[in-house]
Amino acid sequence: MRVVIAPFNRMNDRTLTDVREAGHEVRCTGQDWLSYPAIAAQYPRGWHPDVFIFWSPEYNPVPRGLDCAPCFKVGVVGDWNLGGQAVQQIGGAFDLLFADANGADRLRNLGFPRVESTPLWSFDPDLHRRLPELDRDIDILLIGNFNHEVQRDRAWWLGRVARLSARYKVCLTSGIHGEDYTHLMNRAKIVFNRSIRGEINMRCYEASACGALLFYERENTEIRTLYTDRQECVLYGEDDLEQLLDYYLANDREREAISEAAARRVQTETPSLHVLAMFECIERRRSAVAGGHGVSLNLAFTSLSSPEKELRLARQWLLTADLNAHNAAESALRRAEQSGAAPAVIARLRGYYHAQIGQYRSGPDRDSAWSAALIHLRASIELEPDSVAGRLNLASLLSETGSHTDAEQQVLAAYDLLSRPGAAPGPPSELYWPCRFSAFGVEYDKVEMAHQHGSSQWSEAMLRLLRWRTSDLLCRFASSNGRFLEAERFGTAACELIPDISSTQFQLARALNSLGCLNEAEFRYRAALDLDPFLIEAHVGLAQLLLDRDRPEDALTVLNDWAAIIAGCPPYESALDECDRLRSIARQECSRVRGSDVQRLRLLAFPSWESTAQWQNLIHAFVRRPESAPALLMLWADPAAGEPEYLMRRVASYLTADLNLEPPAFPDITIVSQSFAPQDRWKLLHAADAIIDAGPIAGEFRDVMAASGLRALSIDEMHRLAA
């Protein structure tokens, strides 16, 4: 076959040589490939490809006009789990799509008629090899992506492995490439691995090629087409991971025998063999088409209207990280506009385009791009006020430019739209900025790859996702402005909609903590850490909460667990100082010798200092209380209203002149006039055993009191409590 591969060569030199020796004429192009005619102009005179293979349309901009090219067009979709939007936009431009087994099933379910599964990954025999001179001094190794929003399901497993650093030398790391990667793999006895979408990923091949024992998840059905459990790999589950690690780290001969068998097996899975198998499949598919040349199988795409085709192309280009494609998208939008595309759609996409451009610039250039984006997004809302995408994109950009109040209003408007009876998520194919590789972006692509556009299942899933998105954002806005009851309401709604996002659980925990709902806050902190053991803020929040609740032993348990995770994960070493600081405090609190004196009853009141009779009546009642137990009366004074020393002198004068008490006989009374950050106001209320009704509760403490379920006791109730 005569084959063109774009946008770059996915084959190493050895593979390219092997494929050409097998009789295939292969050309690669990486220049001027945003237009198929520009690519075709690079071919030798009289030469035309039989097949055009485009790699990773989920990340790379597909050439304009490819759908009409007179050859068989193949798209190879790798990270389909992260590329749902792009695949939905442009997948129909190809005559045949390749993906891994699970991805192929998903693509067929989305309605793409010609899909094949094939092994997409392999190893580089010239790079990934055994280095006998290196000692295997790392017990358990993982080299991978540490974006836990993307690798959400794996985070819990990595935390579980990292905690083994107390017993083994564990190294979970990222950002290692080339020879450094090979050397690290050769130092590992066991490579822990977990797929992101049930596929056979590259580490399955690379670990074995480097002579390490591969651990892979048992529920992965595709791995069994490559290796046999306990013969070339070890398959683990939730019930036996640590047990299996212990066994194979203690039994060198068995471990090395399995590793040796895998190293032999992987040599039959070279990139050359995988590519040649793909080519054979392509030839079979082409032979099913009469003549095999110039016949378009992608009628669903080629028959689209001109504006719709341009819009799909523009969206796919904007979803990439290619700046040239972004600029080309503006031309596609202009053509779509001239062909009659809806003005609101054009305005939203132009806003997205300028927002994207601004992300890659700085200083005045960024400000200029974002100013243009704001103009287009505001115009889109004027044209279509009910667009959830328009309002959320505008809100994101307003937040980036510091206009948080305006941003919150846009999110609230979107929330109201989604809360209406019969609400709809909006049309398919909307782009949300910024989206990719965030929790929202991952969930969005998940919906895109799970349901056909326009289906009731798609609408239901997308509506749920957008409701989560707006609730989560409103929780964050409310918390940042000290409106913690509101933050708790929106955070609870977000957690009910999608409970397995750690950052949402954490935001709710912070709101509950700030309201003094400490049991509920602790539960949510722990829920966040169960989902993502690497969420540093949740470790800090939970440990500080336990310290505030006078539970230093529990805090130390949390912090020791965090320290073990850090010890197994070099990328998190920067968090060790904060962990050690809190551990030092917890140890001091654990060793603090508590006095043997009877604990005093702590009573808190909010008297009006402008009403002399009110605060004097309260003090008089406190002095006359039964003395069966010691008590402390804490009187709140707004720090902005006056000096606490002056108020204390007034109290002392009243005790002496009116109640005839001498200073040695003064009751325990203190003025509390401390400024509390909004998130710490609960600490004042929880420092008291009871709150006494002696005037209106200070406004900033009312939400905390209401959320905590506390109530103010009357003077008579105070007497009974003291007795």
Side-chain angles (χ1 to χ4, degrees):
M1 289 190 304
R2 289 169 295 179
V3 180
V4 171
I5 299 178
F8 43 72
N9 178 22
R10 293 300 300 258
M11 306 179 193
N12 57 36
D13 291 340
R14 180 190 295 191
T15 302
L16 193 57
T17 299
D18 290 343
V19 171
R20 285 171 173 165
E21 288 180 354
H24 300 288
E25 187 176 350
V26 178
R27 297 180 179 274
C28 305
T29 178
Q31 297 178 338
D32 300 325
W33 47 271
L34 284 174
S35 162
Y36 184 78
I39 293 173
Q42 301 174 42
Y43 303 155
R45 177 174 292 184
W47 189 93
H48 300 285
D50 301 311
V51 178
F52 187 97
I53 300 177
F54 192 86
W55 225 278
S56 295
E58 71 273 25
Y59 294 136
N60 300 307
V62 172
R64 184 170 186 268
L66 176 62
D67 57 300
C68 297
C71 59
F72 195 77
K73 297 162 282 292
V74 176
V76 182
V77 183
D79 291 346
W80 53 265
N81 57 305
L82 300 175
Q85 298 177 73
V87 172
Q88 286 273 28
Q89 296 298 325
I90 209 68
F94 298 98
D95 301 316
L96 176 64
L97 292 173
F98 278 104
D100 57 48
N102 289 333
D105 288 340
R106 291 291 185 96
L107 291 168
R108 293 185 192 103
N109 291 336
L110 289 177
F112 294 104
R114 290 166 297 279
V115 182
E116 290 282 353
S117 65
T118 191
L120 296 182
W121 315 113
S122 185
F123 69 105
D124 184 345
D126 295 325
L127 177 63
H128 306 118
R129 64 206 187 278
R130 283 181 286 181
L131 303 174
E133 68 274 15
L134 293 180
D135 292 331
R136 295 198 178 270
D137 59 343
I138 298 174
D139 293 315
I140 308 169
L141 172 70
L142 176 134
I143 307 173
N145 183 345
F146 266 45
N147 182 339
H148 299 301
E149 299 287 14
V150 172
Q151 292 278 5
R152 187 186 313 155
D153 295 334
R154 194 182 68 181
W156 179 82
W157 288 95
L158 292 190
R160 189 166 163 175
V161 174
R163 291 182 178 97
L164 298 175
S165 62
R167 289 153 44 196
Y168 300 117
K169 184 170 183 180
V170 177
C171 180
L172 310 181
T173 190
S174 64
I176 312 296
H177 306 286
E179 285 291 339
D180 291 338
Y181 180 95
T182 298
H183 276 69
L184 203 54
M185 282 284 190
N186 271 271
R187 291 175 56 196
K189 296 174 183 175
I190 293 174
V191 168
F192 175 83
N193 197 359
R194 191 164 188 88
S195 68
I196 192 173
R197 52 185 176 269
E199 83 285 11
I200 302 175
N201 62 29
M202 294 174 69
R203 277 184 296 275
C204 291
Y205 302 99
E206 294 164 348
S208 298
C210 292
L213 174 60
L214 173 71
F215 264 52
Y216 217 49
E217 73 267 15
R218 184 175 295 121
E219 63 268 29
N220 188 306
T221 56
E222 196 168 357
I223 190 65
R224 291 174 176 82
T225 65
L226 177 63
Y227 298 138
T228 300
D229 186 23
R230 314 300 171 92
Q231 294 183 24
E232 292 120 349
C233 72
V234 174
L235 302 182
Y236 63 84
E238 187 172 343
D239 60 334
D240 62 1
L241 172 62
E242 289 83 1
Q243 175 186 345
L244 289 170
L245 288 168
D246 288 341
Y247 180 83
Y248 284 101
L249 286 172
N251 291 273
D252 294 347
R253 285 189 178 182
E254 287 189 54
R255 185 186 68 246
E256 291 166 1
I258 295 174
S259 300
E260 177 65 29
R264 292 193 301 269
R265 172 70 179 88
V266 80
Q267 299 305 318
T268 66
E269 300 289 336
T270 63
S272 300
L273 294 173
H274 284 185
V275 171
L276 288 171
M278 178 187 290
F279 279 18
E280 289 177 9
C281 182
I282 292 172
E283 285 189 299
R284 288 196 304 271
R285 282 287 192 167
R286 285 181 64 241
S287 66
V289 180
H293 298 281
V295 178
S296 179
L297 303 179
N298 51 358
L299 296 177
F301 189 87
T302 56
S303 61
L304 292 173
S305 66
S306 176
E308 176 58 24
K309 193 181 292 188
E310 294 290 354
L311 287 175
R312 289 199 180 196
L313 195 64
R315 292 187 189 107
Q316 196 268 339
W317 284 352
L318 289 171
L319 286 168
T320 72
D322 189 302
L323 287 178
N324 291 326
H326 295 169
N327 292 327
E330 170 60 18
S331 299
L333 292 177
R334 186 163 54 251
R335 289 190 293 270
E337 184 178 33
Q338 293 169 352
S339 301
V345 173
I346 296 295
R348 276 199 299 277
L349 288 173
R350 281 198 170 123
Y352 187 101
Y353 158 71
H354 286 288
Q356 281 287 83
I357 292 295
Q359 271 194 309
Y360 294 96
R361 294 178 179 173
S362 59
D365 289 340
R366 181 188 61 190
D367 295 341
S368 175
W370 281 354
S371 293
L374 288 171
I375 290 172
H376 288 294
L377 290 172
R378 291 188 189 280
S380 77
I381 291 173
E382 290 181 6
L383 291 166
E384 196 173 329
D386 289 350
S387 170
V388 172
R391 291 194 179 275
L392 287 182
N393 286 349
L394 178 57
S396 295
L397 193 55
L398 287 168
S399 289
E400 287 288 342
T401 56
S403 301
H404 301 294
T405 300
D406 291 343
E408 184 177 6
Q409 290 305 309
Q410 292 298 331
V411 177
L412 190 58
Y415 177 87
D416 291 339
L417 288 169
L418 295 166
S419 301
R420 292 176 180 175
S429 304
E430 291 283 12
L431 300 189
Y432 289 86
W433 184 89
C435 183
R436 303 198 86 176
F437 311 127
S438 64
F440 176 61
V442 170
E443 288 294 318
Y444 197 103
D445 278 314
K446 189 183 296 184
V447 173
E448 290 283 272
M449 286 302 294
H451 310 291
Q452 289 191 19
H453 274 177
S455 67
S456 59
Q457 295 88 348
W458 179 90
S459 295
E460 181 180 346
M462 192 60 71
L463 187 62
R464 176 170 167 266
L465 174 60
L466 292 172
R467 284 173 172 164
W468 165 81
R469 175 68 167 160
T470 53
S471 297
D472 182 72
L473 287 172
L474 289 171
C475 171
R476 294 167 188 263
F477 280 123
S479 283
S480 65
N481 288 291
R483 306 192 310 271
F484 298 117
L485 272 179
E486 190 177 327
E488 184 272 336
R489 177 166 64 88
F490 285 119
T492 299
C495 286
E496 288 174 351
L497 287 161
I498 305 182
D500 62 346
I501 295 181
S502 59
S503 57
T504 301
Q505 294 283 353
F506 171 69
Q507 291 298 326
L508 178 55
R510 289 207 326 179
L512 289 164
N513 196 343
S514 300
L515 288 168
C517 302
L518 303 186
N519 289 335
E520 296 90 336
E522 180 180 343
F523 174 81
R524 295 295 180 174
Y525 278 131
R526 292 187 185 278
L529 288 172
D530 283 344
L531 292 166
D532 181 1
F534 301 91
L535 189 58
I536 294 172
E537 298 92 337
H539 284 286
V540 173
L542 177 58
Q544 189 62 61
L545 172 63
L546 294 170
L547 289 171
D548 290 337
R549 300 190 75 179
D550 201 23
R551 292 166 53 191
E553 296 88 356
D554 292 339
L556 193 57
T557 298
V558 169
L559 292 165
N560 286 338
D561 180 67
W562 183 19
I565 291 174
I566 294 172
C569 301
Y572 288 92
E573 286 179 351
S574 61
L576 189 57
D577 288 344
E578 177 66 4
C579 180
D580 285 344
R581 182 187 72 82
L582 290 170
R583 279 206 292 179
S584 177
I585 294 172
R587 290 191 189 104
Q588 292 173 13
E589 290 296 305
C590 287
S591 62
R592 176 167 48 91
V593 178
R594 302 184 183 278
S596 58
D597 295 339
V598 177
Q599 294 295 312
R600 294 181 298 177
L601 185 68
R602 296 165 299 179
L603 306 174
L604 173 65
F606 293 82
S608 171
W609 293 102
E610 297 177 356
S611 173
T612 302
Q614 185 186 91
W615 64 263
Q616 289 184 352
N617 288 339
L618 170 65
I619 292 175
H620 183 269
F622 180 70
V623 170
R624 302 303 180 206
R625 80 196 187 285
E627 297 185 359
S628 57
L632 168 68
L633 179 61
M634 301 182 292
L635 302 177
W636 167 254
D638 187 341
E643 292 295 330
E645 292 81 2
Y646 167 71
L647 298 177
M648 201 67 233
R649 287 196 297 271
R650 292 179 66 188
V651 170
S653 176
Y654 171 68
L655 291 170
T656 302
D658 294 78
L659 299 184
N660 300 316
L661 296 175
E662 295 299 324
F666 280 2
D668 284 341
I669 299 175
T670 186
I671 304 293
V672 181
S673 183
Q674 176 184 349
S675 295
F676 288 91
Q679 66 271 21
D680 292 330
R681 289 170 182 157
W682 66 271
K683 294 181 180 180
L684 174 62
L685 300 183
H686 283 261
D689 298 304
I691 299 172
I692 308 305
D693 188 359
I697 304 298
E700 62 266 35
F701 294 100
R702 287 177 192 151
D703 284 354
V704 178
M705 190 168 175
S708 301
L710 300 173
R711 70 180 184 88
L713 304 180
S714 67
I715 298 295
D716 289 341
E717 288 173 318
M718 177 184 73
H719 283 175
R720 289 195 294 271
L721 186 64

